[in-house]
Amino acid sequence: MNTLATDMPILLLAAGQSSRMRGIDKLLQEVDGKPLIRRQADIARAVTRGPVIVALPPEPHPRYDALVGANVEVLPVPMAAEGMNASLRTGFAALPADVDAAMLLLCDLPELTQADLARIALAHDPNSDTLIWRGTTQDGRPGHPIVFSSKLFGEFNGLTGDSGGREVVKAAGSHITHIPLPGNRARLDLDTPEDWAKWRAAHERS
Protein backbone atom coordinates (compact mmCIF):
# COMPACT_ATOMS: atom_id res chain seq x y z
CA MET A 1 0.00 0.00 0.00
CA ASN A 2 1.23 3.47 -0.83
CA THR A 3 1.86 5.11 2.53
CA LEU A 4 0.50 8.36 1.13
CA ALA A 5 -2.91 6.87 0.55
CA THR A 6 -4.94 9.99 -0.14
CA ASP A 7 -5.11 13.74 -0.71
CA MET A 8 -7.84 13.99 1.89
CA PRO A 9 -7.42 16.59 4.67
CA ILE A 10 -7.18 15.12 8.15
CA LEU A 11 -8.50 17.09 11.13
CA LEU A 12 -7.12 16.07 14.53
CA LEU A 13 -9.02 17.15 17.62
CA ALA A 14 -6.53 17.99 20.37
CA ALA A 15 -8.07 20.94 22.19
CA GLY A 16 -9.58 19.05 25.14
CA GLN A 17 -8.58 19.73 28.71
CA SER A 18 -7.75 16.18 29.92
CA SER A 19 -9.96 17.05 32.88
CA ARG A 20 -10.05 13.52 34.31
CA MET A 21 -6.25 13.20 34.33
CA ARG A 22 -5.90 15.26 37.54
CA GLY A 23 -3.36 17.72 36.20
CA ILE A 24 -1.61 15.37 33.74
CA ASP A 25 -1.94 16.02 30.00
CA LYS A 26 -2.88 12.71 28.39
CA LEU A 27 -1.90 13.98 24.93
CA LEU A 28 1.67 14.43 26.16
CA GLN A 29 1.91 10.88 27.49
CA GLU A 30 4.56 8.88 25.67
CA VAL A 31 3.37 6.30 23.13
CA ASP A 32 5.77 4.61 20.73
CA GLY A 33 8.57 6.85 22.00
CA LYS A 34 6.89 10.22 21.46
CA PRO A 35 4.09 12.34 22.93
CA LEU A 36 0.71 10.94 21.93
CA ILE A 37 -0.29 14.12 20.11
CA ARG A 38 2.90 13.96 18.02
CA ARG A 39 2.40 10.26 17.31
CA GLN A 40 -1.10 10.92 16.00
CA ALA A 41 0.07 13.87 13.91
CA ASP A 42 2.85 11.75 12.43
CA ILE A 43 0.63 8.84 11.42
CA ALA A 44 -1.84 11.26 9.86
CA ARG A 45 0.95 13.02 7.98
CA ALA A 46 2.19 9.67 6.67
CA VAL A 47 -1.23 8.84 5.19
CA THR A 48 -2.14 11.97 3.24
CA ARG A 49 -0.67 14.47 0.81
CA GLY A 50 -3.37 16.89 1.93
CA PRO A 51 -3.29 19.18 4.95
CA VAL A 52 -3.15 17.80 8.47
CA ILE A 53 -4.84 20.30 10.75
CA VAL A 54 -4.52 19.99 14.54
CA ALA A 55 -7.14 21.81 16.62
CA LEU A 56 -5.48 23.03 19.83
CA PRO A 57 -6.27 25.10 22.91
CA PRO A 58 -5.27 28.77 22.68
CA GLU A 59 -1.57 29.52 23.09
CA PRO A 60 0.54 29.25 25.12
CA HIS A 61 0.22 25.51 25.63
CA PRO A 62 2.85 22.72 25.75
CA ARG A 63 1.04 20.77 23.03
CA TYR A 64 2.36 23.30 20.52
CA ASP A 65 5.92 22.38 21.50
CA ALA A 66 5.22 18.69 20.87
CA LEU A 67 4.24 19.51 17.27
CA VAL A 68 7.31 21.54 16.31
CA GLY A 69 8.69 20.08 13.07
CA ALA A 70 5.66 17.86 12.48
CA ASN A 71 4.67 19.47 9.15
CA VAL A 72 1.09 20.07 10.29
CA GLU A 73 -1.11 23.15 10.53
CA VAL A 74 -1.87 24.17 14.10
CA LEU A 75 -5.32 25.65 14.60
CA PRO A 76 -6.03 27.45 17.88
CA VAL A 77 -9.63 27.08 19.05
CA PRO A 78 -10.53 30.25 21.01
CA MET A 79 -13.62 28.67 22.60
CA ALA A 80 -12.00 25.28 23.31
CA ALA A 81 -13.24 25.26 26.91
CA GLU A 82 -16.83 25.13 25.60
CA GLY A 83 -16.40 21.51 24.52
CA MET A 84 -15.62 19.39 21.48
CA ASN A 85 -18.11 21.14 19.23
CA ALA A 86 -16.07 24.35 19.32
CA SER A 87 -13.19 22.38 17.78
CA LEU A 88 -15.51 20.86 15.19
CA ARG A 89 -16.89 24.26 14.17
CA THR A 90 -13.43 25.78 13.94
CA GLY A 91 -11.84 22.78 12.26
CA PHE A 92 -14.39 22.19 9.54
CA ALA A 93 -14.50 25.92 8.78
CA ALA A 94 -10.72 25.82 8.22
CA LEU A 95 -10.81 23.04 5.60
CA PRO A 96 -9.99 23.84 1.98
CA ALA A 97 -13.06 24.76 -0.06
CA ASP A 98 -12.32 22.40 -2.94
CA VAL A 99 -12.18 19.03 -1.14
CA ASP A 100 -14.93 16.42 -1.36
CA ALA A 101 -14.29 14.83 2.06
CA ALA A 102 -12.20 15.11 5.21
CA MET A 103 -11.14 12.71 7.94
CA LEU A 104 -11.82 13.47 11.59
CA LEU A 105 -9.54 11.86 14.15
CA LEU A 106 -9.54 12.11 17.93
CA CYS A 107 -6.02 12.53 19.23
CA ASP A 108 -6.48 10.34 22.31
CA LEU A 109 -6.78 6.91 20.66
CA PRO A 110 -3.30 5.44 21.25
CA GLU A 111 -3.69 2.12 19.42
CA LEU A 112 -4.83 3.43 16.04
CA THR A 113 -2.25 2.85 13.32
CA GLN A 114 -1.24 4.45 10.05
CA ALA A 115 -2.78 1.45 8.28
CA ASP A 116 -6.09 2.01 10.08
CA LEU A 117 -6.26 5.61 8.87
CA ALA A 118 -5.36 4.56 5.34
CA ARG A 119 -8.04 1.87 5.35
CA ILE A 120 -10.78 4.35 6.24
CA ALA A 121 -9.49 6.96 3.79
CA LEU A 122 -9.40 4.45 0.93
CA ALA A 123 -12.96 3.34 1.67
CA HIS A 124 -14.19 6.79 0.70
CA ASP A 125 -16.06 6.80 -2.61
CA PRO A 126 -17.25 10.25 -3.73
CA ASN A 127 -19.50 8.66 -6.35
CA SER A 128 -21.56 6.67 -3.87
CA ASP A 129 -24.53 7.86 -1.83
CA THR A 130 -22.58 7.34 1.39
CA LEU A 131 -22.00 10.48 3.45
CA ILE A 132 -19.92 9.04 6.30
CA TRP A 133 -17.26 6.31 6.34
CA ARG A 134 -16.59 5.29 9.93
CA GLY A 135 -14.12 3.03 11.64
CA THR A 136 -15.55 0.56 14.12
CA THR A 137 -14.22 -1.94 16.60
CA GLN A 138 -13.80 -5.51 15.41
CA ASP A 139 -17.24 -6.32 16.85
CA GLY A 140 -18.91 -3.37 15.11
CA ARG A 141 -19.11 -0.59 17.70
CA PRO A 142 -18.69 2.82 16.00
CA GLY A 143 -15.52 4.76 16.66
CA HIS A 144 -12.78 6.67 14.83
CA PRO A 145 -11.48 7.75 12.42
CA ILE A 146 -14.50 9.13 10.55
CA VAL A 147 -14.55 10.48 7.00
CA PHE A 148 -17.26 13.06 6.30
CA SER A 149 -18.43 13.99 2.82
CA SER A 150 -18.14 17.71 2.11
CA LYS A 151 -21.94 17.70 1.79
CA LEU A 152 -21.99 17.58 5.60
CA PHE A 153 -19.36 20.23 6.39
CA GLY A 154 -21.92 22.99 6.82
CA GLU A 155 -23.76 20.94 9.45
CA PHE A 156 -20.95 21.60 11.91
CA ASN A 157 -21.32 25.39 11.80
CA GLY A 158 -24.05 25.69 14.38
CA LEU A 159 -22.96 23.00 16.83
CA THR A 160 -22.50 23.99 20.47
CA GLY A 161 -21.62 22.10 23.61
CA ASP A 162 -19.80 18.80 23.81
CA SER A 163 -21.86 16.35 21.73
CA GLY A 164 -18.92 15.52 19.46
CA GLY A 165 -20.97 15.94 16.30
CA ARG A 166 -23.42 13.15 17.08
CA GLU A 167 -26.19 15.24 15.52
CA VAL A 168 -24.39 15.25 12.18
CA VAL A 169 -23.86 11.51 12.24
CA LYS A 170 -27.49 10.90 13.20
CA ALA A 171 -28.73 13.14 10.39
CA ALA A 172 -26.80 11.04 7.85
CA GLY A 173 -29.22 8.21 8.61
CA SER A 174 -28.53 5.12 6.54
CA HIS A 175 -25.88 6.84 4.42
CA ILE A 176 -23.06 5.54 6.63
CA THR A 177 -20.54 2.84 5.78
CA HIS A 178 -18.87 1.10 8.72
CA ILE A 179 -15.36 -0.30 8.34
CA PRO A 180 -14.19 -2.72 11.07
CA LEU A 181 -10.70 -2.24 12.49
CA PRO A 182 -8.87 -4.85 14.57
CA GLY A 183 -9.65 -5.22 18.25
CA ASN A 184 -10.90 -2.20 20.18
CA ARG A 185 -8.53 0.40 18.83
CA ALA A 186 -11.21 2.45 17.07
CA ARG A 187 -12.58 3.34 20.52
CA LEU A 188 -9.82 2.78 23.07
CA ASP A 189 -9.13 6.04 24.86
CA LEU A 190 -7.37 6.49 28.19
CA ASP A 191 -8.98 9.20 30.29
CA THR A 192 -7.49 8.69 33.77
CA PRO A 193 -4.04 7.97 35.24
CA GLU A 194 -5.37 4.54 36.23
CA ASP A 195 -6.38 3.83 32.62
CA TRP A 196 -2.88 4.70 31.47
CA ALA A 197 -1.25 2.55 34.16
CA LYS A 198 -3.37 -0.49 33.24
CA TRP A 199 -2.72 0.00 29.53
CA ARG A 200 1.04 0.30 30.01
CA ALA A 201 1.10 -2.77 32.26
CA ALA A 202 -0.78 -4.78 29.65
CA HIS A 203 1.64 -3.71 26.94
CA GLU A 204 4.63 -4.61 29.08
CA ARG A 205 3.24 -8.13 29.52
CA SER A 206 2.54 -8.59 25.81
Side-chain angles (χ1 to χ4, degrees), residues 10-14 37 40-41 44 52-55 103-107:
I10 299 180
L11 174 61
L12 277 69
L13 298 192
I37 187 174
Q40 306 302 76
V52 175
I53 302 170
V54 187
M103 177 181 289
L104 177 67
L105 175 63
L106 299 183
C107 254

Side-chain angles (χ1 to χ4, degrees), residues 96-181:
D98 59 347
V99 299
D100 54 23
M103 177 181 289
L104 177 67
L105 175 63
L106 299 183
C107 254
D108 60 355
L109 301 172
E111 292 191 352
L112 281 177
T113 68
Q114 177 181 330
D116 294 334
L117 272 60
R119 183 174 181 182
I120 306 303
L122 290 170
H124 167 248
D125 178 1
N127 298 313
S128 72
D129 64 355
T130 298
L131 297 173
I132 293 174
W133 295 259
R134 185 167 196 176
T136 74
T137 60
Q138 191 167 327
D139 60 3
R141 289 175 296 148
H144 278 254
I146 308 175
V147 169
F148 289 93
S149 164
S150 60
K151 296 173 184 176
L152 296 176
F153 290 0
E155 301 299 317
F156 292 94
N157 292 341
L159 295 185
T160 59
D162 200 36
S163 69
R166 284 191 295 271
E167 306 93 327
V168 179
V169 174
K170 184 176 180 180
S174 62
H175 299 282
I176 301 175
T177 295
H178 292 104
I179 303 100
L181 299 175

Side-chain angles (χ1 to χ4, degrees), residues 14-17 37 54-61 63-64 75-78 80 87:
Q17 301 180 52
I37 187 174
V54 187
L56 292 165
E59 296 186 88
H61 198 287
R63 292 177 190 170
Y64 288 82
L75 179 67
V77 180
S87 294

Side-chain angles (χ1 to χ4, degrees), residues 1-101:
M1 178 186 297
N2 186 341
T3 55
L4 292 174
T6 181
D7 294 318
M8 184 182 298
I10 299 180
L11 174 61
L12 277 69
L13 298 192
Q17 301 180 52
S18 297
S19 56
R20 296 174 61 193
M21 288 291 290
R22 302 195 292 277
I24 301 169
D25 191 337
K26 65 179 175 180
L27 297 188
L28 298 180
Q29 295 298 293
E30 186 172 298
V31 178
D32 296 337
K34 60 184 72 174
L36 177 56
I37 187 174
R38 179 58 178 263
R39 176 194 182 272
Q40 306 302 76
D42 286 348
I43 63 172
R45 181 72 282 162
V47 166
T48 185
R49 293 172 290 269
V52 175
I53 302 170
V54 187
L56 292 165
E59 296 186 88
H61 198 287
R63 292 177 190 170
Y64 288 82
D65 297 332
L67 292 171
V68 171
N71 191 22
V72 299
E73 300 176 21
V74 296
L75 179 67
V77 180
M79 302 294 290
E82 171 197 316
M84 191 183 297
N85 290 347
S87 294
L88 291 170
R89 289 196 311 270
T90 305
F92 276 91
L95 292 171
D98 59 347
V99 299
D100 54 23

